[in-house]
Amino acid sequence: MRTISYLISFLLLAACTGTPSKAPLTLWYDKPAQNWDEALPIGNGRAGAMVFGGVEKEQLQLNENTLYSGEPSVVFKDVKITPEMFEKVVGLMKAGKYKTASDLVCKNWLGRLHQYYQPFGDLHIQNNKPGDAAGYKRALNISDAVATTVYKQNGVKYEREVFASHPDNVIVMHLKSDTPNGIDISLDFTSPHPTALQKGTDDRLILHGQAPGYVERRTFEQIEQWGDQYKHPELYDANGKRKFDKRMLYGDEIGGKGMFFEAQLKPVFPKDGKCEITDAGIHIYNTDEVYFILSMATSFNGFDKSPSRDGIDPSAKAASILEKALSYDYQTLKQRHTEDYRSLFDRVDFELFSSPEQKAMPTDKRLEQFAGNADPDLAALLFQFGRYLMISGSRPGGQPLNLQGIWNKDTIPAWNCGYTININTEMNYWPAELTNLSECQEPLFRMIRELSVSGAETARNMYNRRGWVAHHNTSIWRESLPNDNVPTASFWPMVQGWLCSHLWEHYQFTQDETFLKNEAYPLMKGAAEFFADWLIDDGNGHLVTPVGVSPENRFITEDGQTAAMSMGPTMDMAIIRETFTRTIAASEMFNLDESFRNELKDKLARLLPYQIGKRGQLQEWIYDFKEWEPQH
């Protein structure tokens, strides 16, 4: 009893004295970013910026996560597997003629690349005060999601804060000096899109433009070598002749297609100040403090609607967002932002020890020394930085994290900057539940629902099978066909099963039976329906997939063939086994679809077992092939 009393007294004392405040988690540097890769990312789950932290010239490279090239009308859908071609490919697979079968699949069963995530533009801030900077520091406080730049110039201290607010849907930048009239700056927008124009009004600066209606990163030579001109009617005429000498088409070049976008930037003076706004930009002077509110919007109106013909008015949307944010002063905007952000970020605390000398170093120096000098605190910081990026890039109502999150500067970005859903998209979201950021998966779940709509069309029209299917890549337009012409990746009709694993894991973590029954189960059932129809008998009483790849590897057969496609690769069988098992479990839990459940039970029992190879390894393929790339 006395021990309990002591414990209660201790807990009461701890509650009264409180926990000592911790230093914020910060990435910091002693010089401005020299390029995009060194800039610091901010985001609110919809809009984002890379902040360079310059002194003479500051730059915010801007993104809005619905701004893509193309629209639903440019999605290529003319791919169909005829019964004759299917039997021919399966016959070749069973005969061990993998290279010939793969060539037929690449020639007849593949579409074209999906469309591209686009940069929005750049906001430039010119410092009109001459003089060298001293005491420079730029930082990203990931405890509060605020980027700062501090320096002295001619003895005057300057501070700059930038954050992207999720509750108010804006990017906010605050500048102040410790001397009256210390600020003299000029601001303007630029954009990589030639359609973009800047315009000044009485109280704000506007950037309006239209994204390309079509983009293709494969070269003309690659397209022609593959004989794929017919897949690109935007670029080639009916005779396979080029219509353009470029592969990025705007406006009239593509029938007016393409997404419209607009940014609106408004300065606000807490005290006195001078402001001139023209079509050339904004000039701010005779003040020691000013902040700017930036709203961004596009005409995106859903994955199945034309943004050029049935789109939302981005001007009205950007204006509405801005006006709502203007009802708050700077401190309130910042407070609303930090409270919202911390409600997610503060759920996890993780500390590892490093020396005070290590912690005192700039982050880039710590990274340089990490390989040869253990720095556990830096590992903990990078773990939390990963959570910061998840919160900043994926919030309910936005789009899922693509290959670069929401940050991209290129009009033809690497790998289309889309969703590589044969692993990369899944990898982006593996940490969500594990790091207590369950809500951040909502954009992914919405993408799965939307992909099931286009995927049902592909299952029906291309495969003549039930359920829904998707392949290794997609974009905001939810392309579900096998795309591009890469034998090791393109033909992979397994995505739906792996994506549905995120739905099941969400249920496992939350125990939300309503979610499982109403949202997850219908999608899981559709994935299982396709797999049930896709399986064939291997001739030995086992069910296997007729054609598949082990992304993104090749194998070498005993007779010297190098190929990527075969029957029943192990990854196919693992995903199907998992999908069937979980779909059966959900069906039994809610007493749904008994006859389909029994079909799955029968086929689950007949799936090809996992195979052990001569080296004691789990085989990657149905046979113990030699791997082309053992380290993959």
Side-chain angles (χ1 to χ4, degrees), residues 106-107 220-232 236 240 485:
C106 287
K107 180 66 178 174
F220 285 115
E221 290 73 20
Q222 284 175 309
I223 294 169
E224 291 158 12
Q225 180 182 355
W226 294 336
D228 280 355
Q229 294 95 316
Y230 71 98
K231 298 178 183 178
H232 304 271
Y236 293 91
N485 207 320

Side-chain angles (χ1 to χ4, degrees), residues 458-519:
T458 297
R460 181 175 61 252
N461 295 339
M462 177 179 172
Y463 290 92
N464 192 29
R465 284 166 171 82
R466 295 175 295 173
W468 67 280
V469 62
H471 296 78
H472 88 296
N473 267 324
T474 193
S475 79
I476 201 169
W477 307 120
R478 308 307 187 231
E479 298 93 334
S480 54
L481 283 174
N483 58 59
D484 207 12
N485 207 320
V486 180
T488 58
S490 295
F491 189 79
W492 195 68
M494 306 301 300
V495 161
Q496 61 278 15
W498 206 354
L499 288 178
C500 283
S501 72
H502 285 263
L503 305 173
W504 179 262
E505 291 292 332
H506 180 71
Y507 162 69
Q508 291 283 291
F509 274 87
T510 64
Q511 294 296 297
D512 185 343
E513 292 189 5
T514 301
F515 170 85
L516 180 62
K517 180 179 180 180
N518 297 335
E519 180 162 353

Side-chain angles (χ1 to χ4, degrees), residues 66-67 209-210 258-262 297-302 305-315 317 477:
T66 61
L67 188 60
Q210 186 178 23
M259 193 180 301
F260 294 100
F261 61 91
E262 181 159 312
T298 75
S299 61
F300 178 73
N301 194 25
K305 294 183 178 65
S306 165
S308 61
R309 290 153 176 79
D310 304 308
I312 292 171
D313 179 0
S315 302
K317 183 175 180 179
W477 307 120

Side-chain angles (χ1 to χ4, degrees), residues 150-387:
V150 179
Y151 60 90
K152 282 190 174 182
Q153 188 179 31
N154 301 322
V156 179
K157 183 178 180 180
Y158 292 91
E159 298 180 41
R160 189 186 308 141
E161 289 186 331
V162 189
F163 60 85
S165 167
H166 175 69
D168 294 306
N169 223 355
V170 291
I171 292 175
V172 183
M173 180 173 61
H174 179 252
L175 296 88
K176 66 179 182 178
S177 72
D178 64 359
T179 300
N181 305 329
I183 293 175
D184 186 344
I185 57 173
S186 301
L187 302 90
D188 68 287
F189 286 116
T190 60
S191 175
H193 302 294
T195 57
L197 294 174
Q198 176 177 268
K199 179 183 178 181
T201 69
D202 290 341
D203 68 341
R204 68 194 61 182
L205 188 66
I206 294 172
L207 178 73
H208 185 88
Q210 186 178 23
Y214 177 78
V215 178
E216 174 57 53
R217 73 177 165 94
R218 294 303 183 193
T219 66
F220 285 115
E221 290 73 20
Q222 284 175 309
I223 294 169
E224 291 158 12
Q225 180 182 355
W226 294 336
D228 280 355
Q229 294 95 316
Y230 71 98
K231 298 178 183 178
H232 304 271
E234 299 88 352
L235 301 178
Y236 293 91
D237 64 21
N239 297 315
K241 302 297 183 182
R242 299 179 192 177
K243 297 194 286 187
F244 297 95
D245 59 358
K246 57 184 179 179
R247 290 164 289 126
M248 180 178 293
L249 307 179
Y250 287 90
D252 292 341
E253 298 168 337
I254 189 67
K257 296 175 182 176
M259 193 180 301
F260 294 100
F261 61 91
E262 181 159 312
Q264 297 190 9
L265 178 73
K266 182 175 172 61
V268 182
F269 293 96
K271 295 177 284 187
D272 294 332
K274 298 291 186 181
C275 175
E276 298 169 358
I277 304 177
T278 67
D279 290 348
I282 303 177
H283 184 201
I284 302 289
Y285 58 102
N286 284 357
T287 187
D288 62 358
E289 184 178 7
V290 63
Y291 65 93
F292 300 86
I293 302 177
L294 171 67
S295 64
M296 290 186 281
T298 75
S299 61
F300 178 73
N301 194 25
F303 75 99
D304 54 354
K305 294 183 178 65
S306 165
S308 61
R309 290 153 176 79
D310 304 308
I312 292 171
D313 179 0
S315 302
K317 183 175 180 179
S320 175
I321 293 170
L322 186 58
E323 292 304 321
K324 289 177 182 177
L326 285 166
S327 64
Y328 304 105
D329 62 19
Y330 177 74
Q331 291 303 325
T332 306
L333 286 168
K334 185 177 178 182
Q335 180 182 355
R336 285 167 56 81
H337 157 67
T338 54
E339 287 179 352
D340 168 79
Y341 173 78
R342 287 174 179 170
S343 71
L344 295 170
F345 188 80
D346 287 353
R347 294 173 181 176
V348 171
D349 190 26
F350 181 36
E351 293 184 73
L352 296 173
F353 176 79
S354 290
S355 70
E357 292 77 16
Q358 287 174 308
K359 290 184 175 183
M361 287 192 297
T363 305
D364 52 341
K365 301 295 191 299
R366 294 178 74 180
L367 285 167
E368 289 173 5
Q369 298 183 13
F370 189 81
N373 188 14
D375 189 350
D377 176 75
L378 180 61
L381 177 64
L382 294 178
F383 165 82
Q384 291 285 37
F385 183 53
R387 296 182 69 244

Side-chain angles (χ1 to χ4, degrees), residues 550-570:
S550 189
E552 297 172 5
N553 207 349
R554 291 180 170 88
F555 56 84
I556 303 171
T557 65
E558 289 186 0
D559 60 2
Q561 296 179 72
T562 299
M565 298 183 193
S566 67
M567 296 170 59
T570 300

